[in-house]
Amino acid sequence: MPTVRQLLQFKANGKQIVALTAWDFAIAQILDAAGVDLILVGDSLAMVTLGYENTLPLTLDEIIHHAKAVKRGVKNALIVVDLPFLSYQTSPEVAIESAGRILKETGAQAVKLEGGYPRMIETITRLVEAGIPVMGHIGLTPQSVHQLGYRQQGQTEIDRERLILAAVELERAGVFSIVLEHIPADLAKSISEKLSIPTIGIGAGVDCDGQVLVTADLLGLTLRQPPFAKAYVDLRAIITQAVQDYSADVKSVGS
Ligand code: KIV
C-alpha cells in the first residue's frame, strides 16, 4: 500500500500516478485489483451515486458511509476521502474534527479539500500539524459551483498567477499532492514543474504527475459527462442490453 510519502517518490522517479474515484466495495475491489495507485472517495459521489444536483448537499456521514465500503474493498491503493462542502470551511477546528472522523471511522489515509491561497492555508497547516495528510484541489472546484460554474479556470493572466500562487502556498502549507482540475494544459505544466509534490490532473493536459478521472465517467455510466472526461466503455448501454436480455428471458416463460 503506497503511503503519502511513497507517493512523493513517484514524482522523484518520473512515474505517473494513476488515480480513480470509487464509491462502494465492488468498484473499489476492481480498481484496486487492476493496480490503481490512489483511490479517491470523491464528493462527486453526490451526483454519480446519490443523484444530487451538485456536490453541495453531501454530508460527512454520507461520505464516511461510502468510504468505509471502499476501504473494505482495497488491499493496496492509497485511499483519499473528500471533505464535503461546509465540513471544513468554517474554521480549522471544524476541519480537524471532520478530517479526524474520516481517518478514524473509515481507515482512509488522507483527506482532500478544495480551495487556494489565502483561504485554506491556515486550515491545511493545522490539519498537517495534527498528523492528517492533506491533498489540495485547485482550478475548477465543484463546491464553488455557484460562484465559478463548471467552466475552465486559469484563462486570464491574473487567474493564472492566482493559481500558481495557490499551488506554491499549498505546498508550503504541507499538502502532499494537488489536484488540478480543468485548467489550461500549459498552466498545469508550469505548476507541475514548479512543485516538488505531485500534481494530479483532470482536464489539465498530460503534463501533470498523474491523472484522475471520475470512474463513473470512465465507465460511461454518467449522463452529464464533463467535456474533458473520456469514457473508455459504454457501460450504460451494456447494462441496458443485459437487463433487456434478462427481461426477455423472464417474459418468454409461459408465452
Ligand atoms: O469528487 C471528485 O470526484 C473529485 C475529482 C474530480 C478529482 O474531486
Side-chain angles (χ1 to χ4, degrees):
M1 181 173 294
T3 59
V4 294
R5 288 179 67 81
Q6 283 163 341
L7 213 64
L8 298 177
Q9 290 307 309
F10 277 63
K11 179 157 182 158
N13 298 333
K15 196 174 154 215
Q16 285 281 314
I17 297 165
V18 179
L20 280 172
T21 67
W23 53 86
D24 70 9
F25 175 74
I27 290 287
Q29 256 189 338
I30 294 168
L31 302 187
D32 192 51
V36 167
D37 302 308
L38 187 155
I39 292 182
L40 172 68
V41 185
D43 61 359
S44 55
L45 78 82
M47 292 141 91
V48 301
T49 312
L50 301 178
Y52 291 127
E53 182 59 26
N54 52 45
T55 59
L56 305 195
L58 188 74
T59 66
L60 189 57
D61 285 337
E62 283 171 329
I63 205 156
I64 285 175
H65 176 75
H66 283 268
K68 282 160 101 170
V70 167
K71 172 67 181 167
R72 289 191 282 268
V74 172
K75 291 201 180 81
N76 298 308
L78 180 81
I79 303 177
V80 181
V81 180
D82 260 341
L83 281 162
F85 179 59
L86 288 195
S87 72
Y88 62 98
Q89 287 97 336
T90 50
S91 73
E93 287 72 26
V94 168
I96 293 172
E97 295 263 335
S98 302
R101 271 197 67 195
I102 288 176
L103 263 55
K104 275 171 178 276
E105 296 177 32
T106 72
Q109 292 98 323
V111 296
K112 174 166 84 56
L113 55 78
E114 296 180 7
Y117 174 83
R119 199 160 54 96
M120 292 321 303
I121 299 302
E122 192 194 343
T123 295
I124 292 168
T125 307
R126 294 281 301 282
L127 285 166
V128 174
E129 275 170 9
I132 300 172
V134 181
M135 176 181 249
H137 181 158
I138 59 174
L140 193 170
T141 45
Q143 291 180 13
S144 306
V145 60
H146 295 312
Q147 283 173 330
L148 305 176
Y150 291 118
R151 67 177 189 278
Q152 190 188 52
Q153 299 297 300
Q155 291 183 18
T156 63
E157 205 41 52
I158 290 177
D159 207 29
R160 290 172 71 91
E161 293 303 323
R162 180 182 67 75
L163 287 167
I164 292 170
L165 178 65
V168 168
E169 292 299 328
L170 256 61
E171 172 166 18
R172 209 197 303 275
V175 300
F176 68 88
S177 173
I178 303 180
V179 168
L180 303 177
E181 181 165 356
H182 205 12
I183 62 173
D186 66 321
L187 175 59
K189 183 170 191 279
S190 321
I191 291 175
S192 303
E193 286 169 356
K194 263 193 172 34
L195 304 184
S196 54
I197 54 166
T199 58
I200 312 280
I202 172 164
V206 295
D207 292 311
C208 298
D209 303 303
Q211 297 288 331
V212 62
L213 264 188
V214 172
T215 300
D217 291 335
L218 171 139
L219 297 178
L221 283 173
T222 42
L223 286 175
R224 285 184 304 174
Q225 195 102 340
F228 50 79
K230 175 174 166 189
Y232 284 74
V233 62
D234 187 354
L235 264 198
R236 199 167 258 274
I238 292 171
I239 293 171
T240 303
Q241 188 60 57
V243 171
Q244 285 169 347
D245 291 350
Y246 165 70
S247 187
D249 279 353
V250 172
K251 285 178 184 163
S252 70
V253 175
S255 62

